[in-house]
Structure formats: structure tokens, C-alpha cells
Amino acid sequence: MSVGAMTGMISVEPKKGDRANLHRPLMTFIMGAFPEQQEEMSVAVDDVSKMREKILAVEKSEKGAEQLLRYYLQMSAMDCKLPINENQIHVTFTWYDSFYKDSVFSGKRGSAANSLFERSCVLFNYAAVSSQIAASQNLDTDDGLKLAAKYFQVASGAFAQLRDKLVPTMQKIPTPDLSPEVLASLTTLMQAQAQECIYIKAVADKMKEKVTCRLAASASDFYGDAYKAMSSVNLKGTSWDKWTAVCLAKQNYMSGLAAYYESLNAKATKAIGNELARLTEANKLLGDAVKQSAGSFECKDILSKVNRAQAAAQKDNDFIYHERVPNVSDLPAIGRAPVAKPTPIATEVEGWSDVFGKLVPLNVQQAATMYASRKDHLIHLEVTKLRENTNQLNSVLNQMNLPAALEDLSGKEIPVSLIEKSGDVRTKGGLMTLRQSFDDLPQLLQRNEEIITETLKALNDEEASDKHLRGTFGAKWNRTKSEDLTKSFKEQGDKYQSILTNARNADKIVREKFETNIMAIEILSKDESALIDSIPVGGAQSLSGQGQKAVASLKSFMDQIKLLKGERDALEQKFKAGGDTEEIIAKFSQLNTESNLFNDEGLSTEHLEKTYGPLQAAVADSIRQQDELIAKITSANDEFVQSKSGATSDPRSEMMSQLAAGYDAFIELMSNLAEGTKFYNNLTKILTAYQSNVNDFILARNTEKDDLMKSLQGNLANKTPPARPEPPQFHQQAAQSSAPQAPAPQATASQGVTPQAPPLAVPGAPQQYGYGGSVAGYAPSYNMPYGMPAYGGYYTYPGPAGYGAYPPAQYPPGQYPPGQNTRPQYPPGQNTGAQYPPGQYPPSQYPPGQYPPYTGPK
């Protein structure tokens, strides 16, 4: 951030950001939501990653500003298709505050796992780079003034967009530079600087004083508003205070210029008194500006010019005009011309297009999903009506043993319809196929239950870990609670568990129906000869004329029923055909583009009525026809039964009815099992995608957890440990009284150096001295704490080795191998043993000849 040396134009420093891995989280989401476009979208994801790499090291030029705008537009366009947030696509973005250089250590770093924060920081940088482009222009040239005015207005518009549209939707402000107060200040400041550039160009173009004074007065107003806004912001230790002072100076400076140009207007009309009043005001304001600017911009030359003009006007008035000089407050207010305005953010850039343009926006997807759900519900209701009524019709016919009774008048022949039904059962696999399908269903169900159980357990484990660490670190564990983030995942899991429970109950009902009809299905699965042998023989029947008439009517009704069932099959296929997905998505997309109010429910209702209304009417008509047919069949069958002179034996008639019911049950069970298998396989795909999303979420949370743990542990490691307390006086006295006294050293002619106390032993560090016993003629010059004897000896102190004795774990008594801890191994004068070879003692501490004789145990 800087202030122009001569012009005082202020520019903002862009925020710095860390790298973020976009590819894996985006591709994981695309694989689940748009699997058919995975390959194509991989290229698009790479393009977005490259765009982000460029804007992290963006040039402070028009090209750099365009790169920032392109990336901002891309992130905005993809937000409705690829939602980056903590619950869906988890990418953590980190940006540093613009006003604090040492952000890592001062805590002015912001991180958030959502695209809103990313877009806000990029838009901030777009505004900052635009301000730098403007501030770097040469204001002595026409092109420089135009570019400066343009880019200051662009910066103002970007800061205004941040303040009004993006920041208000944030839950918290990650960095101070994104606070509404700072953004409001910068918006007005950039507008003020743009207005000043427009004023300078008007002066350069030699426009009339009436225009220039109004332009200057409006610039003064903008600077005054900026000064008020900036005064309420606390950014200590930054350039903010200097900027605030510059704004106050510029307010007085531009106001002084406005007064000066208004004095020229008064001079042109020979209003000398008004001219002097304006010049006096200008002199005062410009004088204040000189003091307040502290050299940040040039304003002394214009002050000298005003002084000269005031002196000349005063002289003329004193000697010629003798006009009264009014108070400035009594003069008319200077007019205003606020030309500079914040430039709205461009929605298009030449050569740019959304790389994810082929993806359907999520709100359109959701609307299409809601439509599909409503459509499926409608289809389910209508198809269920058809099937229930068909089952009711079959039940009525089975009770009457129709149409088999019409084909079995002799009591010996197998009805043709029954042979056809048996052949159909065998063609479809018969009882064996049904059993195999029933055996497969529990495995499919179990697989889905395992997926949902494992996934929910992983969520619970992650939540438990977060609670544990939150309890351990307290307020320092400042990331979002897992229980808040996992709520939607758990709700999804509960929904899937509910679906599986309903499916398990449905499987049970289907199984019971199978068990009820298994005997009839088994007979129908046999070949024709075995089928004939399984049916009891009945007696022959003779019919009266009325009975023959009834048989003819019943056969006609059976043909109508066959036709009715065929129509219902066709209706069901039309319901299931669908085919309107692309059409409804196109309508939703058009509505999303053209209207701010996305009323998808009204469009869904209209489309459903148009598409499925006629089919619903056909279902109602089919049910009405069935009711009429059942009434007619019941009446004709009563006449048929009454006209029979001989009765078919009960066992045969019952068998015929059971086989007819068994066939209907077989067809229904085959349909149910096929639907159940398809349902479980589709559910497995959905649950696998759900599990993958949860695993990605947990991976991201674990990464975030590891980073936070490292940060907290790093902070703890950098803390200075507390000072070691001094041992109490009585401890030192006890040490002195309990320490064994070593004999006084024997003086020799060769003694010239006083032996020094050996350093305290440090656990794990190599020791320079191998002797651990009392040394004759040597007494330590310090007292050991906690009542310990003098350094070494045979005292096995169990505490830290830093207090002088080697820990017993390192040198346990009695564990040295024979021959290694005996006197003969230590020749006179060496006193080293195997651990400390001869010649490694520093001669300055242990001069030759000063080693005392061995006095230890023999």
C-alpha cells in the first residue's frame, strides 16, 4: 500500500494467499454428481487450478487485473454447480490480511472452507490491483488521467460489491481488511480519488471555472466522507492512520481549490467583496492542507498563487472598489458535480467463458430432482391402482374358477389356459429361479446395511475425536464443531436406514406370499404330463340351453378381460417411459436464467398435468370398465353354475383355483423380485457415493486437524519454560551435613592447577569422566540438593542423572561381567576402564600426576 509522492494518490496492497488443492475435491464431487461428464470436467478442473496459481502471483498491471476478474467470474459461475463448502466440496482457502505484513505471527491470517471467502479475497485483490494501476499513472498526461479515473472507479465498485453483496453473507470476518467499515472507507476513498482525477483533467482541458469549482467541491465531499469513515476504523501499526491524515488534508485542499475557482467566477462579475471572501477561505483551507499533508502531495504552489491573488484583490478593493467583504457563510453554497461513481463488476470478459458451462446448476438439478420425485410418486400411485385392481379381478376370477371352468366341462381334460400358464412359468425359470432370487436379496440388503453402518461409524468416530480434542485444548481448538458439519450427513444416513428398514419389511411380505403359493408354483413348474397327473379327475358336466348361453357370455367377458389387461400393461409402460427429463431441465434452466424468482413448483405442476393428466384419466376409465365387467361376469357365472346338471368334484375345482392363483402370484413375485434386485443395486451405487463423500469429508477434517495440532504444538514448543525454582535453604543445609568429607589434597611440588568440579551428568549425553567414586584429596566446591552425597560415590540415587549420580538403570550394581569391574583392570594412573579410553581427559582439568590412588572396595 502506498501514497503517491506528488499527487497523494493512495493504493492498496493485494492480499497474499496460500496454495490450495482444488483438483481432488472437485473431481470427487464430479464423479458422484456428474459421472457421465467426468473425463471432460477433469480438463476444466485443471484449467481452474492453473487460473488460481496465476492469481497468487499476479502482476500489478491491467493484465493482472484481468486475470483476477476472470478467476473471480469463474468461481462465481461454478458456485451453483460445484458448491465449495465444509459439507460438500471441502477445500480450505488461506489468505493473509492486506494491512499487516507479519500476518503469520500477528494472527491476521484467515482460513475458511468455502468459495465465498475465496471470491471475496480475489475481488479484494482485483480492487487493490486496480487502485495500484490508477495510482501509478502519470497525471500530467491525458491518457494517464483517463486510466487513473477509470481504475479508481473500478476499485471503488469492487470494494462496494464486497461490502454490499459478499461480506454480509459471511458468518464471520476472517481478516480485518474485509470488515464492512474498512470496505466502506476504501469504496469512498477510491471514488474521491477518481473525482480528483476528473477535476485535474477538467483543469488541464481548460474548462470553465464554474465546472472546475463544482468538480473540486464534490471531490472535497468524497474525501470528507472517506475521512469520517476511516476515523472509525482501528488498524494500529499500519498505514491506515497516515491515509486518514491524507484524506483530511485532501478534503481541505479540494475545498480550498473550489473556493479559489469560485473567487475567479466572482472576479469575472466584478463582485470584489465576494472574491475576497472566497480567497480568504481558500487561503485558510489550503494553509491547513499544507500542514496536514506533511509533504504527501504538492499543495504549496497553489497556496502561493492564492496569496498573490488575495493580495492583489485586497489592494484593488482598498484603493478602488471599497466593497464590504461578506462572511463566507452568507454566500451561496458552491454547486456540486459528483461525476465519479463506483463501476459495477463486469459479468463478462472478452475471451472468457465458464469452463463448467455444460454442468447443470445445482438449483436446476434440485428442481429437476424434486420434479422427478413428484413424478415418481404420481406414477407409483397410478401403477399401484392398476395392479391392485388387476389383483382384485384375478381373485374374483379364481374364486369362480374362470376361465378354467369353461374349458373343463368333461372333468378329464386339462384346460388350455392352464397349460399355457404352466408353459409360461417354466419359460421364466419356474420355482428354481424364484428361490435363487430370494436367496440373492438378503445378500444385497446386507451389503447396503454394511455400507451405511460403516459410514455412520466413521462419522461418529470423527465427531468423538473432535469432542475429545476440543475438551483437551479448549478455546484454542477453534475450528467448526464436527457435530454441526456432520448433521446433514447423519440425516442422510438416517434416511437411508429408514429406506432399508422399509425394504426389509417389503421383502418379508413378498416372502410370505411366496410361501403361501409355493405348492401351486411347484406344480406349474412341472412338464405337461406331470401337471396332468397332479390334478384330480372330475365328473362330466351337461349344460342346459341357458347354461350354454351363459358359457358364451363368460367367454366373451374373458376376451374383454384379456384386452383390458393388455391395455393396462401398455398404460404402465407409458407411465414408466419417462423421457421428459431433458425437456424439464431445459425449462428449469430457462426459468433460472430469465427470472430472479425461481418458481420451480408451479412449472413442475403444470408440466405434470400436461404430461400425465391423460394417462391418469385412462387409469380411472380402466377401473370403471373393470367394475362393470365384474358385475356382468358374476351374473353370468351364477347362471352357469345353476345350469350345470353334474358338478365337478370339489378337489379338482379347488386345485384349478389354486393353480390359477399360483400363476398370478408367480408373475407378481417375479416382478417384485426384479424390482427389488434393481432397487438394491441402485441403492448400493447411491450409498457408495454417499460413503465416498463422507470419507472425503473425514479426510479433509483429519488434514485440518493435523494442521491445527501442529500449529498448537508449535506454539507450545516456542513458549519459554518457567524458571527452575531454587531449592529451599534447609535442603542445602541437609546436603552439607549429610555429604561425606573427602580428605584434603596432598600438596606436591608439581601441583600448579586446582582441580575443577566435573560437570553434572546429562541423561543420554556422553560423559567425559569415568570415575564415579570419592577421590582422595578432592572435595566438591558445591552442595548437592535433596541431601545427596558429594559427586559420585556408591550412592545409587534413583532420580535424574543431572544431580551427579549415574542412574541405577544405566549402571546397576552386580551386573558387570566378571573381570570388568575389578581393580586389576584399571592400571595405576589411568582410572578409565573400557568406557573412557586413556588420553581423552582434557589436560587443563586433570594434569598428569594428580589422579589420587584407588581407595574403593577391594
Side-chain angles (χ1 to χ4, degrees), residues 621-693:
D621 185 60
S622 177
I623 294 172
R624 181 188 56 77
Q625 291 181 41
Q626 175 179 311
D627 292 340
E628 293 177 357
L629 274 173
I630 287 177
K632 293 176 180 179
I633 290 170
T634 302
S635 176
N637 187 66
D638 290 343
E639 294 180 4
F640 169 63
V641 172
Q642 290 173 5
S643 67
K644 287 191 290 186
S645 59
T648 305
S649 62
D650 290 336
R652 182 178 179 82
S653 178
E654 289 176 5
M655 177 63 75
M656 294 290 187
S657 297
Q658 289 176 9
L659 293 176
Y663 173 76
D664 294 334
F666 175 81
I667 297 300
E668 186 177 357
L669 288 170
M670 288 292 290
S671 175
N672 291 339
L673 290 171
E675 290 178 356
T677 301
K678 181 180 178 182
F679 165 78
Y680 283 128
N681 287 331
N682 290 339
L683 185 60
T684 300
K685 294 178 183 178
I686 294 172
L687 292 180
T688 302
Y690 166 67
Q691 187 180 42
S692 176
N693 290 336

Side-chain angles (χ1 to χ4, degrees), residues 135-304:
S136 65
Q137 299 302 314
N138 182 359
L139 301 187
D140 293 331
T141 66
D142 188 65
D143 290 340
L145 283 169
K146 288 180 180 178
L147 279 175
K150 172 187 173 182
Y151 277 100
F152 275 133
Q153 291 177 90
V154 167
S156 179
F159 285 129
Q161 175 94 344
L162 263 174
R163 176 196 64 193
D164 299 334
K165 299 294 178 63
L166 299 183
V167 170
T169 60
M170 288 184 178
Q171 293 181 351
K172 63 178 181 179
I173 308 300
T175 53
D177 53 8
L178 293 179
S179 68
E181 297 79 14
V182 170
L183 296 175
S185 302
L186 294 176
T187 299
T188 310
L189 172 60
M190 296 299 138
Q191 187 179 6
Q193 295 185 145
Q195 181 75 18
E196 182 181 354
C197 291
I198 294 170
Y199 154 77
I200 295 173
K201 189 174 187 308
V203 173
D205 292 345
K206 298 181 179 179
M207 298 183 75
K208 293 181 179 180
E209 285 79 4
K210 285 185 179 181
V211 176
T212 53
C213 73
R214 293 183 178 186
L215 291 172
S218 293
S220 175
D221 292 344
F222 288 141
Y223 276 119
D225 293 340
Y227 172 72
K228 290 178 184 176
M230 296 176 75
S231 297
S232 64
V233 175
N234 182 14
L235 290 176
K236 292 182 178 179
T238 70
S239 300
W240 194 262
D241 291 340
K242 183 179 179 182
W243 290 8
T244 306
V246 170
C247 284
L248 178 60
K250 281 290 187 82
Q251 179 189 7
N252 290 324
Y253 174 64
M254 298 308 299
S255 187
L257 289 173
Y260 169 68
Y261 284 106
E262 188 65 19
S263 74
L264 296 180
N265 290 328
K267 181 179 180 180
T269 59
K270 304 296 183 181
I272 303 302
N274 291 355
E275 179 189 3
L276 270 171
R278 296 294 186 186
L279 287 170
T280 302
E281 181 188 19
N283 199 329
K284 177 183 178 303
L285 291 170
L286 291 172
D288 291 342
V290 170
K291 297 174 185 176
Q292 294 158 350
S293 66
S296 59
F297 61 93
E298 177 55 49
C299 54
K300 291 182 179 179
D301 289 348
I302 187 65
L303 177 60
S304 299

Side-chain angles (χ1 to χ4, degrees), residues 237-487:
T238 70
S239 300
W240 194 262
D241 291 340
K242 183 179 179 182
W243 290 8
T244 306
V246 170
C247 284
L248 178 60
K250 281 290 187 82
Q251 179 189 7
N252 290 324
Y253 174 64
M254 298 308 299
S255 187
L257 289 173
Y260 169 68
Y261 284 106
E262 188 65 19
S263 74
L264 296 180
N265 290 328
K267 181 179 180 180
T269 59
K270 304 296 183 181
I272 303 302
N274 291 355
E275 179 189 3
L276 270 171
R278 296 294 186 186
L279 287 170
T280 302
E281 181 188 19
N283 199 329
K284 177 183 178 303
L285 291 170
L286 291 172
D288 291 342
V290 170
K291 297 174 185 176
Q292 294 158 350
S293 66
S296 59
F297 61 93
E298 177 55 49
C299 54
K300 291 182 179 179
D301 289 348
I302 187 65
L303 177 60
S304 299
K305 187 175 183 180
V306 168
N307 284 333
R308 292 193 299 270
Q310 184 182 9
Q314 187 67 52
K315 181 178 179 180
D316 289 345
N317 191 47
D318 290 343
F319 290 97
I320 302 173
Y321 299 104
H322 304 290
E323 286 190 12
R324 185 182 69 86
V325 179
N327 292 325
V328 174
S329 58
D330 297 332
L331 296 175
I334 298 175
R336 299 297 196 265
V339 178
K341 291 179 174 57
T343 302
I345 296 299
T347 56
E348 294 182 0
V349 177
E350 186 178 352
W352 173 82
S353 62
D354 180 13
V355 295
F356 299 107
K358 293 185 179 180
L359 296 183
V360 179
L362 285 182
N363 61 334
V364 174
Q365 273 196 12
Q366 290 169 355
T369 301
M370 290 299 297
Y371 169 81
S373 178
R374 292 181 64 185
K375 182 183 77 171
D376 291 344
H377 181 66
L378 182 150
I379 291 172
H380 175 73
L381 288 178
E382 298 302 318
V383 170
T384 300
K385 284 182 187 177
L386 288 175
R387 290 182 179 180
E388 287 179 349
N389 279 276
T390 300
N391 290 339
Q392 180 188 0
L393 179 60
N394 290 336
S395 178
V396 170
L397 295 178
N398 290 337
Q399 289 175 4
M400 300 178 185
N401 196 21
L402 295 175
L406 304 177
E407 301 166 353
D408 188 29
L409 297 177
S410 66
K412 295 179 182 179
E413 298 178 1
I414 299 297
V416 176
S417 61
L418 186 59
I419 293 175
E420 291 175 352
K421 290 177 179 178
S422 176
D424 188 31
V425 169
R426 291 197 302 275
T427 301
K428 290 181 169 63
L431 182 63
M432 184 179 297
T433 299
L434 277 182
R435 287 190 186 278
Q436 183 62 47
S437 298
F438 273 112
D439 291 341
D440 292 341
L441 276 186
Q443 297 176 13
L444 296 173
L445 173 63
Q446 183 180 359
R447 172 61 184 143
N448 287 318
E449 287 179 334
E450 288 173 353
I451 293 174
I452 195 66
T453 301
E454 291 171 3
T455 306
L456 291 177
K457 182 181 182 299
L459 285 172
N460 290 331
D461 290 347
E462 198 282 328
E463 186 175 329
S465 172
D466 184 67
K467 285 183 178 178
H468 171 71
L469 292 170
R470 194 174 300 280
T472 301
F473 292 101
K476 294 178 182 178
W477 196 254
N478 55 4
R479 68 173 186 165
T480 308
K481 291 182 179 180
S482 288
E483 58 189 23
D484 295 337
L485 299 178
T486 59
K487 184 178 180 181

